[in-house]
Amino acid sequence: MTRLFNDPADFTDQMIDGLVAAHPERLVRVSGGVARRSLDEEAHVSVVIGGGSGHYPAFAGLVGPGLADAAVMGNIFASPSINQVFSVAKSVDQGRGILLSYGNYAGDVLNFSEAQERLRAEGIDCRTVAVADDIFSAPADALDQRRGIAGDLTVFKVAGAAAAAGSDLDEVERLAVKTNARTRSMGVAFSGCTLPGADAPLFSVPEGMMAIGLGIHGEPGLDTVPMPTADALAELFVERLLAEVPDGLDPRGVRVVPILNGLGSVKYEELFVVFGRVSALLTEAGLELVDPQVGEFCTSFDMAGASLTLLWLDDELERHWLAPADSPAFRRGAVSPSATRVRQAVEADSASVQIPEASSASRVNATRVIAALDAVADALAENAESLGALDSVAGDGDHGIGMKRGSAAAARAARGAQEGGAGAGTTLTTAAEAWSDAAGGTSGALWRVILASLGEAVGDFDPVGPRVLADGFLAARQAVAAAGGAEIGDKTLVDALVPFVETFDREVRTGASSAAAWRAAAEAASAAADATADLLPRKGRARSHGEHAMGSPDPGAISLAMIAEVTRPPVRIAG
Amino acid sequence: MTRLFNDPADFTDQMIDGLVAAHPERLVRVSGGVARRSLDEEAHVSVVIGGGSGHYPAFAGLVGPGLADAAVMGNIFASPSINQVFSVAKSVDQGRGILLSYGNYAGDVLNFSEAQERLRAEGIDCRTVAVADDIFSAPADALDQRRGIAGDLTVFKVAGAAAAAGSDLDEVERLAVKTNARTRSMGVAFSGCTLPGADAPLFSVPEGMMAIGLGIHGEPGLDTVPMPTADALAELFVERLLAEVPDGLDPRGVRVVPILNGLGSVKYEELFVVFGRVSALLTEAGLELVDPQVGEFCTSFDMAGASLTLLWLDDELERHWLAPADSPAFRRGAVSPSATRVRQAVEADSASVQIPEASSASRVNATRVIAALDAVADALAENAESLGALDSVAGDGDHGIGMKRGSAAAARAARGAQEGGAGAGTTLTTAAEAWSDAAGGTSGALWRVILASLGEAVGDFDPVGPRVLADGFLAARQAVAAAGGAEIGDKTLVDALVPFVETFDREVRTGASSAAAWRAAAEAASAAADATADLLPRKGRARSHGEHAMGSPDPGAISLAMIAEVTRPPVRIAG
């Protein structure tokens, strides 16, 4: 379990401070994460990696010459927010373009993709490679649905080396894509981990058993079997990975980098025992081993488990894999003499936002928005724990914390906007950004989309009748579908959102008032959310932490229904 | 717990194979451990480190240019044997002398010291620095009684850098001694570890509690207190370490290297949270932080715990600390271009031993020795588990395994010698070496001394009367006292050995037969061994893993009594 912390709410922030204090020559804190302190003489493509915290040395331990320029650091097991990605990337932009790379999870995809759009909107060329190496998270014909685990390292390393060598963004992207396509991992777990301040493990594996393919946040695996010997585990690793050789390569004579990764409390001696057999088996299969790595590269606190990754080399990948690098957790060879220029720490950007003009009617509506958001924040704060418990059935357990943090920030930001004279629309869009920024993760990204769509529809001038709201909800549904890719029946927030939006629209079409339509819609959302308990999570839906087990409703759907209920007009103005 | 293993008896061996397979460019297996694969153009002082296994990256992870030339690798938590130390050191000797360095534990001191004598006997200049950084293991005025923990790294690093820089042995030793004198550590533990194949943890800490000063093998600490916050732990670390500034230095303005070490399952994020506060506190105290290290440097499998080490620098220590190094687990800067010459793996030396001539009477006595050793091996194999359980009360739990392994090897070697025509004396001395080599640890070293003393006294020609045996036992007692330094009442094997020897001698002086004297002596040993349960381990006896708790007898004394009993003449010849 995680034992050393102060206020669990401060954990990530204090962890980043300590990391930078431990590597003052290497790292500098920037808004949203950490960046390389030294600046090279020649500008190069910036490689920006990141994801949720709790996986050190992924991601911040891999920042340095020959590797990443910066790491965006989300809360524990939660994707960083759009703003975090955007501001970290901006802080290391050198004018040669940016490669964003991260593990292929729903929240990360949502937030990094949106940040990429914003960077492009500022004229910064930006590409994305989401690492997808976990062979058990989706079938071989759905590679883009696979999760990223310890294979992250190969993609980051090759991309970082290509950037350091002066390659342009096209080339860095091409090599990262190729590395991702030639990296395969499989993992096993023997126990879960307990997050800072939590009473119970996020997930667990029965004593004496091994879960095959269990994800690094506890995402369901393939099977649970009795604990094997070290040799038998090595045999399982090698057999499964050799059953999926990329590009139909003949494995004989091919050079591969094996990476045997410990998840946290499986220790070096054990890994070496397993690796002895892995090494022999790969050699027997005719492969040539290059530069093996045995240690901790992608952890989940003290989770007990291990993974084996194979990077199938060709000449150019091998050259880049073997190039020098100097990061806190991965060092090899001699990087060029350290630069004399250093980057300064960057404080969070607190530039004041221009509030557009608004009609007085809309400014009155803004107070209703605030009342609704206050009610949401109260309800989510009250229910954070139970939502987290729902999420931990098979997800990463942070849904409650994220929703609480996001809604509180949204209510605060909304009040600030309204006090600055904002109309209802701007109040909602301001709240949307604040929610996303404070929460990160999938829910932060999706609630940003919902509130922003509604804010666009509502605007700052016109009266807000039932039709305007219905159109806003329809737009939100559309935007969520576009962002998340989930469909109805996938056991996500969409299962409650769609009935809410369709019921509201139908009621309005038949002449109902906003309040009446909202009541009916909230009831529909609530029923639908409860019904998600009967859904089986979509097999192989790798782009989510939360493949929630049968019998338990989806926490995203439940929280949407809760929000629909507490925002039913007329919302009581909080005293 | 340790989950990944095959036959637990093969664990260390397979671990070493895997380690070398993971670092084929860096390491080569030599008899007794691992050595650097690359050979420098210029000969330099060889730095040989080592100790029990289970603490990776201590010790084998620190072998490489700028660090150690080789690591002697004992069994889990057990000192390597004399032969192991000797042969590893021989294999890396470059003619400029050898520095042996290891943590200050009884078994290591015994085995490394004896190996040093053998190396010197071959004309190889050899010095020893036993690292003693753990401030809780003995008071400040008994520095040489302190145990070595994560502060190992500072001594090895400075010595390795000095050797790489071409310093002579005097200078390397001087710097290592100085570094040891300026290194202070304190550790805390939250849980114990379970060794490969064991049913239960070797030791434990009550849930929610923290043991202050608990050793890396479970040696008793100072106190057990409720689990503090990360900040409170940082404050405890800094307060205690600043209360013992070496050499009466004024800490203000002094440059220190802080090393925050995780024992195994306390993970990086937690260490960074603690380090953030450690860093602030040290800076507030006026210290200048140089090159902090936060990670895993000396582990105990998945034990949960942490330690803080401070190395108090001066200019020459800082220069050597910051010099380049390239080992599996510790890399910094760029070492000189890798040498073209490489070392070949060294197989265990199987040169046949010359067996000296013997009288036919003595060759008949040799069969009695074998029968006795067979009886010992049988008894220890049968009781290995209960002896291990006794040992785990507060020791490292390997006493039973070590005694079983050692006695089996001794019986085997004795048979080989006798079949080659050896007399009783040579059969005993051959068995002595085999025992030590197979067992390692404290018990291996002491039983070697006992059997060898007896063999010397018995010789290969003369009849073995009661007086010869009595003189042999007296010599054994003397030799054990000289080797181990333990006195009667210290709760060690000495507590049973002394009554055995004295009773035997007294009985013989009054005219008793060997059989009668042996019976009386064995009874005295047995009573004395049982009585060790009432002894309190000597406070601060840092040179031992096994400060066995009150109420439980000492396993070394118990096994001596058991051996005395089963070897009582006439020993039944095993069929």
Side-chain angles (χ1 to χ4, degrees):
Chain A
M1 60 186 297
T2 299
R3 292 178 173 87
L4 294 173
F5 51 86
N6 299 305
D7 182 341
D10 298 334
F11 189 85
T12 302
D13 199 51
Q14 295 183 338
M15 181 266 288
I16 300 174
D17 277 343
L19 170 69
V20 172
H23 296 278
E25 309 297 320
R26 285 196 169 83
L27 300 179
V28 67
R29 190 159 184 171
V30 294
S31 175
V34 296
R36 268 183 61 180
R37 185 153 188 272
S38 65
L39 294 168
D40 296 328
E41 293 306 318
E42 299 275 315
H44 58 74
V45 169
S46 299
V47 175
V48 174
I49 63 176
S53 294
H55 305 299
Y56 193 88
F59 299 86
L62 303 174
V63 171
L67 253 158
D69 292 274
V72 194
M73 300 173 75
N75 276 303
I76 294 171
F77 289 5
S79 159
S81 71
I82 301 162
N83 255 344
Q84 282 187 284
V85 179
F86 177 78
S87 71
V88 169
K90 278 275 282 187
S91 72
V92 295
D93 177 37
Q94 300 161 68
R96 295 207 51 198
I98 290 171
L99 181 82
L100 300 175
S101 192
Y102 51 87
N104 191 28
Y105 295 92
D108 295 288
V109 172
L110 283 170
N111 288 290
F112 277 86
S113 299
E114 183 63 28
Q116 171 168 281
E117 292 314 310
R118 286 201 205 167
L119 290 162
R120 286 179 177 166
E122 295 214 352
I124 298 173
D125 197 358
C126 191
R127 316 286 171 82
T128 285
V129 177
V131 182
D133 56 315
D134 181 358
I135 64 168
F136 283 128
S137 53
D141 57 6
L143 290 185
D144 65 335
Q145 296 290 308
R146 287 183 168 176
R147 301 184 291 242
I149 51 175
D152 278 355
L153 175 64
T154 67
V155 177
F156 303 161
K157 176 67 183 70
V158 169
S167 299
D168 64 17
L169 184 57
D170 285 342
E171 178 71 353
V172 173
E173 181 190 20
R174 181 186 70 79
L175 284 161
V177 167
K178 184 178 180 181
T179 306
N180 190 28
R182 294 173 75 116
T183 300
R184 297 285 186 283
S185 302
M186 80 160 273
V188 296
F190 318 125
S191 82
C193 57
T194 304
L195 300 188
D199 293 331
L202 189 51
F203 55 95
S204 60
V205 179
E207 192 56 42
M209 301 295 279
M210 173 174 85
I212 300 177
L214 188 89
I216 55 176
H217 315 93
E219 299 92 338
L222 192 75
D223 202 1
T224 301
V225 300
M227 188 70 208
T229 62
D231 281 355
L233 176 59
E235 282 149 24
L236 176 70
F237 276 155
V238 170
E239 183 194 323
R240 292 306 185 105
L241 288 178
L242 291 190
E244 202 191 299
V245 179
D247 302 339
L249 284 173
D250 178 350
R252 281 165 304 175
V254 175
R255 293 164 70 80
V256 296
V257 177
I259 303 174
L260 184 61
N261 175 61
L263 268 299
S265 73
V266 163
K267 298 316 300 176
Y268 308 102
E269 285 84 355
E270 299 175 86
L271 293 174
F272 288 130
V273 171
V274 174
F275 188 73
R277 185 78 183 126
V278 164
S279 168
L281 289 167
L282 292 175
T283 306
E284 276 168 30
L287 281 73
E288 259 189 80
L289 270 51
V290 176
D291 183 48
Q293 301 289 327
V294 179
E296 295 180 335
F297 304 97
C298 179
T299 62
S300 293
F301 286 102
D302 64 335
M303 177 174 169
S307 63
L308 180 66
T309 297
L310 294 183
L311 165 59
W312 297 80
L313 295 171
D314 65 7
D315 288 349
E316 62 178 359
L317 295 192
E318 181 165 349
R319 196 168 61 248
H320 287 108
W321 174 259
L322 294 177
D326 183 20
S327 71
F330 193 90
R331 300 173 201 165
R332 166 212 303 302
V335 297
S336 311
S338 63
T340 46
R341 294 185 307 140
V342 297
R343 180 176 283 120
Q344 298 305 318
V346 180
E347 294 297 320
D349 190 2
S350 59
S352 64
V353 180
Q354 283 292 348
I355 291 177
E357 231 183 306
S359 69
S360 57
S362 185
R363 282 156 62 182
V364 170
N365 279 338
T367 62
R368 294 190 184 139
V369 169
I370 289 167
L373 287 170
D374 281 344
V376 169
D378 288 349
L380 291 173
E382 206 167 300
N383 292 285
E385 210 161 312
S386 62
L387 289 170
L390 269 188
D391 192 29
S392 75
V393 171
D396 55 10
D398 73 341
H399 182 76
I401 296 171
M403 293 294 284
K404 174 183 167 182
R405 202 158 37 204
S407 59
R412 216 165 29 242
R415 196 174 303 277
Q418 188 266 340
E419 284 168 2
T426 295
T427 300
L428 277 164
T429 52
T430 304
E433 295 304 326
W435 188 313
S436 150
D437 207 34
T442 312
S443 63
L446 294 180
W447 279 97
R448 173 184 163 277
V449 160
I450 293 170
L451 295 183
S453 301
L454 203 57
E456 288 293 321
V458 162
D460 288 334
F461 288 94
D462 299 326
V464 183
R467 190 65 250 153
V468 170
L469 286 176
D471 287 344
F473 292 142
L474 287 166
R477 181 185 75 168
Q478 203 103 39
V480 165
E487 287 167 27
I488 205 151
D490 284 354
K491 198 162 186 162
T492 71
L493 153 157
V494 168
D495 288 321
L497 177 64
V498 169
F500 178 88
V501 172
E502 290 185 347
T503 305
F504 194 95
D505 182 51
R506 194 179 54 240
E507 292 293 316
V508 168
R509 281 180 198 284
T510 59
S513 69
S514 293
W518 202 300
R519 186 177 325 112
E523 277 164 15
S526 176
D530 289 344
T532 59
D534 301 328
L535 293 174
L536 202 60
R538 180 147 62 113
K539 187 81 186 158
R541 203 186 76 227
R543 286 191 170 191
S544 169
H545 291 168
E547 294 169 337
H548 304 287
M550 188 77 178
S552 179
D554 177 69
I558 291 289
S559 55
L560 187 136
M562 190 181 292
I563 289 168
E565 177 56 30
V566 299
T567 52
R568 267 205 299 129
V571 176
R572 204 154 46 86
I573 307 288
Chain B
M1 61 186 298
T2 300
R3 292 178 173 88
L4 294 173
F5 51 86
N6 299 304
D7 182 340
D10 299 333
F11 188 85
T12 302
D13 199 51
Q14 294 182 339
M15 182 266 288
I16 301 174
D17 277 342
L19 169 69
V20 172
H23 297 279
E25 309 297 321
R26 285 197 169 83
L27 300 179
V28 66
R29 189 159 184 171
V30 295
S31 177
V34 296
R36 269 183 61 180
R37 185 152 188 273
S38 64
L39 295 168
D40 296 327
E41 293 307 316
E42 298 276 316
H44 57 74
V45 169
S46 299
V47 175
V48 174
I49 63 177
S53 292
H55 305 300
Y56 192 88
F59 298 88
L62 303 174
V63 172
L67 254 158
D69 291 275
V72 194
M73 301 173 73
N75 277 304
I76 294 170
F77 289 5
S79 159
S81 71
I82 301 163
N83 255 342
Q84 281 187 285
V85 179
F86 177 78
S87 71
V88 169
K90 278 275 283 187
S91 71
V92 296
D93 177 37
Q94 300 161 68
R96 295 206 51 197
I98 290 173
L99 181 82
L100 300 175
S101 191
Y102 50 85
N104 192 29
Y105 295 91
D108 296 288
V109 172
L110 283 171
N111 288 289
F112 277 86
S113 299
E114 182 64 27
Q116 171 168 284
E117 293 313 311
R118 284 200 205 167
L119 290 162
R120 286 179 176 167
E122 294 213 354
I124 298 173
D125 197 359
C126 192
R127 317 284 170 82
T128 285
V129 177
V131 182
D133 56 316
D134 182 357
I135 64 168
F136 283 128
S137 53
D141 58 5
L143 290 185
D144 65 335
Q145 296 290 309
R146 286 184 169 175
R147 301 184 291 242
I149 52 174
D152 278 355
L153 176 64
T154 67
V155 178
F156 302 161
K157 176 66 183 69
V158 168
S167 300
D168 64 16
L169 184 56
D170 285 344
E171 176 71 354
V172 173
E173 182 190 20
R174 181 186 70 79
L175 283 162
V177 167
K178 184 179 182 181
T179 305
N180 190 28
R182 294 173 74 116
T183 300
R184 295 287 185 283
S185 302
M186 80 160 272
V188 296
F190 318 124
S191 82
C193 57
T194 304
L195 301 188
D199 293 331
L202 188 52
F203 56 94
S204 60
V205 180
E207 193 57 42
M209 302 295 280
M210 173 174 86
I212 300 177
L214 189 89
I216 56 175
H217 315 93
E219 300 92 339
L222 192 76
D223 202 1
T224 301
V225 300
M227 188 69 207
T229 63
D231 280 356
L233 176 59
E235 282 149 24
L236 177 71
F237 276 156
V238 170
E239 183 194 323
R240 292 306 185 106
L241 288 179
L242 292 190
E244 201 192 302
V245 179
D247 302 340
L249 283 174
D250 178 350
R252 280 165 303 173
V254 175
R255 293 164 70 79
V256 295
V257 177
I259 303 174
L260 185 62
N261 175 60
L263 268 300
S265 74
V266 162
K267 297 317 300 177
Y268 307 103
E269 285 84 355
E270 300 175 86
L271 293 174
F272 288 130
V273 171
V274 174
F275 187 73
R277 185 80 185 124
V278 164
S279 168
L281 289 168
L282 292 175
T283 305
E284 276 168 30
L287 280 73
E288 257 189 81
L289 270 52
V290 176
D291 183 48
Q293 301 288 327
V294 180
E296 294 180 337
F297 303 97
C298 180
T299 62
S300 293
F301 287 102
D302 64 335
M303 177 173 168
S307 63
L308 180 66
T309 297
L310 294 182
L311 165 58
W312 296 81
L313 295 171
D314 64 7
D315 287 349
E316 63 178 358
L317 295 191
E318 180 165 349
R319 196 169 60 247
H320 286 108
W321 174 260
L322 293 178
D326 183 20
S327 72
F330 193 90
R331 299 174 201 164
R332 164 211 307 301
V335 297
S336 312
S338 62
T340 47
R341 294 184 309 141
V342 298
R343 179 178 282 120
Q344 298 304 317
V346 180
E347 294 297 319
D349 190 4
S350 59
S352 62
V353 180
Q354 284 292 348
I355 291 176
E357 230 183 307
S359 69
S360 58
S362 185
R363 282 155 63 180
V364 170
N365 279 339
T367 63
R368 293 191 184 136
V369 169
I370 290 167
L373 287 170
D374 281 342
V376 170
D378 287 350
L380 290 173
E382 206 167 300
N383 292 285
E385 210 161 313
S386 62
L387 289 170
L390 268 188
D391 193 27
S392 75
V393 171
D396 55 10
D398 74 340
H399 182 77
I401 297 170
M403 293 294 284
K404 174 183 168 183
R405 203 157 36 203
S407 58
R412 215 163 31 240
R415 197 175 302 278
Q418 187 266 339
E419 284 167 1
T426 295
T427 301
L428 276 163
T429 53
T430 305
E433 295 303 328
W435 188 313
S436 149
D437 207 33
T442 312
S443 64
L446 294 180
W447 280 96
R448 172 184 163 276
V449 160
I450 294 170
L451 295 183
S453 302
L454 203 56
E456 289 291 321
V458 162
D460 289 333
F461 288 95
D462 299 327
V464 182
R467 188 67 249 151
V468 170
L469 286 175
D471 288 344
F473 292 141
L474 286 165
R477 181 185 74 168
Q478 202 102 40
V480 165
E487 287 167 27
I488 206 151
D490 283 354
K491 197 163 188 164
T492 70
L493 153 157
V494 168
D495 288 320
L497 177 64
V498 169
F500 178 88
V501 171
E502 290 185 347
T503 305
F504 193 96
D505 183 51
R506 194 178 55 239
E507 294 291 317
V508 168
R509 283 180 197 280
T510 59
S513 69
S514 294
W518 203 301
R519 185 179 324 112
E523 277 164 15
S526 178
D530 289 342
T532 59
D534 301 328
L535 293 174
L536 202 62
R538 180 149 62 114
K539 188 78 186 158
R541 205 185 75 228
R543 288 192 168 188
S544 169
H545 290 168
E547 293 168 339
H548 304 289
M550 188 77 177
S552 180
D554 177 69
I558 291 288
S559 55
L560 186 136
M562 190 181 291
I563 290 169
E565 176 57 30
V566 300
T567 52
R568 268 205 297 129
V571 176
R572 206 156 43 87
I573 308 289

